Amino acid sequence: DAKTTQPTSMDCAEGRAANLPCNHSTISGNEYVYWYRQIHSQGPQYIIHGLKNNETNEMASLIITEDRKSSTLILPHATLRDTAVYYCIVKLDNYGQNFVFGPGTRLSVLP
Amino acid sequence: DTEVTQTPKHLVMGMTNKKSLKCEQHMGHRAMYWYKQKAKKPPELMFVYSYEKLSINESVPSRFSPECPNSSLLNLHLHALQPEDSALYLCASSQDQGMGYGYTFGSGTRLTVV
């Protein structure tokens, strides 16, 4: 069972920042937060992950609260191609723990 | 090569047919996975292979039979499926089992059982 809760859906205007929240209030100290997205009819795609500190890469930024009970994925300038289902996943980064997808947030980027 | 290739992309089969799904990667990844995804649902883990050995079977019915002939290939053999088995079947790989940031997914095989 998923350890995260996310809004079912969100809209964002093209060119604006998309901020996708995720609650993970039961996260343990050594569990990472991962974000993947799935564009229609494709396989999921890795976006970013983090443990405690904020992270940024060429795709997005990940902001994790100090108590680590929630996080926000930021797409700084959303485009129509960012329309997808975004999954927030919490797991240990080691052997034996399955990668469990929750329902995710369906982001629609509007022109 | 940084891709996971799945074939075929689409498959229609009868309930008495035997068919196979194929997954291939050449990234040197030692863990490979099968996921099943129903419409508007998240992917669900079916099987995990680690170093060519079956590591996890998530209580999948025996009409689904995985096979890992070598470190680059993963097959899913299908026999006597039911219409409710119609779904998108996704293959993924990672450098080692359980590394969350390193999963590479294929585009999937869309299976329809008639």
Side-chain angles (χ1 to χ4, degrees):
Chain A
D1 56 310
K3 298 181 179 180
T4 63
T5 56
Q6 299 176 252
T8 303
S9 63
M10 294 180 63
D11 292 339
C12 176
E14 187 179 18
R16 304 296 294 267
N19 297 288
L20 292 93
C22 179
N23 287 324
H24 32 78
S25 57
T26 61
I27 193 171
S28 63
N30 53 355
E31 286 185 315
Y32 288 74
V33 181
Y34 301 87
W35 284 84
Y36 278 70
R37 73 179 181 183
Q38 187 173 22
I39 296 169
H40 183 61
S41 296
Q42 297 183 21
Q45 175 191 23
Y46 166 78
I47 302 173
I48 200 167
H49 76 286
L51 182 62
K52 296 180 181 177
N53 299 322
N54 297 337
E55 302 288 346
T56 296
N57 63 21
E58 65 277 6
M59 290 182 68
S61 295
L62 175 61
I63 308 298
I64 302 174
T65 58
E66 194 168 340
D67 63 8
R68 302 208 328 119
K69 293 186 176 182
S70 65
S71 60
T72 301
L73 178 74
I74 301 172
L75 308 177
H77 305 286
T79 71
L80 299 179
R81 289 178 294 180
D82 292 321
T83 292
V85 177
Y86 287 77
Y87 297 103
C88 170
I89 302 163
V90 167
K91 75 178 290 294
L92 293 167
D93 189 20
N94 65 9
Y95 300 104
Q97 191 179 39
N98 296 339
F99 209 60
V100 178
F101 288 85
T105 295
R106 185 170 298 275
L107 175 69
S108 298
V109 180
L110 307 175
Chain B
D1 188 353
T2 58
E3 291 187 347
V4 171
T5 303
Q6 290 189 244
T7 54
K9 293 196 180 305
H10 300 273
L11 178 63
V12 179
M13 61 183 292
M15 289 187 285
T16 58
N17 292 159
K18 287 185 180 180
K19 297 286 185 182
S20 296
L21 309 184
K22 181 180 174 182
C23 173
E24 193 167 4
Q25 58 88 14
H26 297 286
M27 294 176 281
H29 288 176
R30 305 314 300 264
M32 297 185 75
Y33 312 81
W34 280 115
Y35 283 81
K36 173 182 177 180
Q37 186 173 26
K38 302 282 283 184
K40 298 191 184 300
K41 297 291 187 181
E44 297 178 356
L45 183 66
M46 301 176 70
F47 301 104
V48 179
Y49 272 82
S50 179
Y51 289 83
E52 301 164 43
K53 296 202 182 315
L54 184 64
S55 172
I56 294 173
N57 176 342
E58 290 287 357
S59 303
V60 179
S62 59
R63 57 185 184 270
F64 296 91
S65 176
E67 179 197 20
C68 189
N70 59 56
S71 60
S72 300
L73 282 176
L74 186 65
N75 298 320
L76 186 63
H77 303 298
L78 314 172
H79 173 56
L81 294 193
Q82 304 297 311
E84 57 265 28
D85 296 321
S86 298
L88 180 68
Y89 288 84
L90 292 162
C91 175
S93 70
S94 65
Q95 188 171 359
D96 262 315
Q97 182 181 343
M99 293 176 67
Y101 60 85
Y103 280 49
T104 302
F105 282 84
S107 295
T109 294
R110 189 161 298 282
L111 174 68
T112 303
V113 181
V114 298

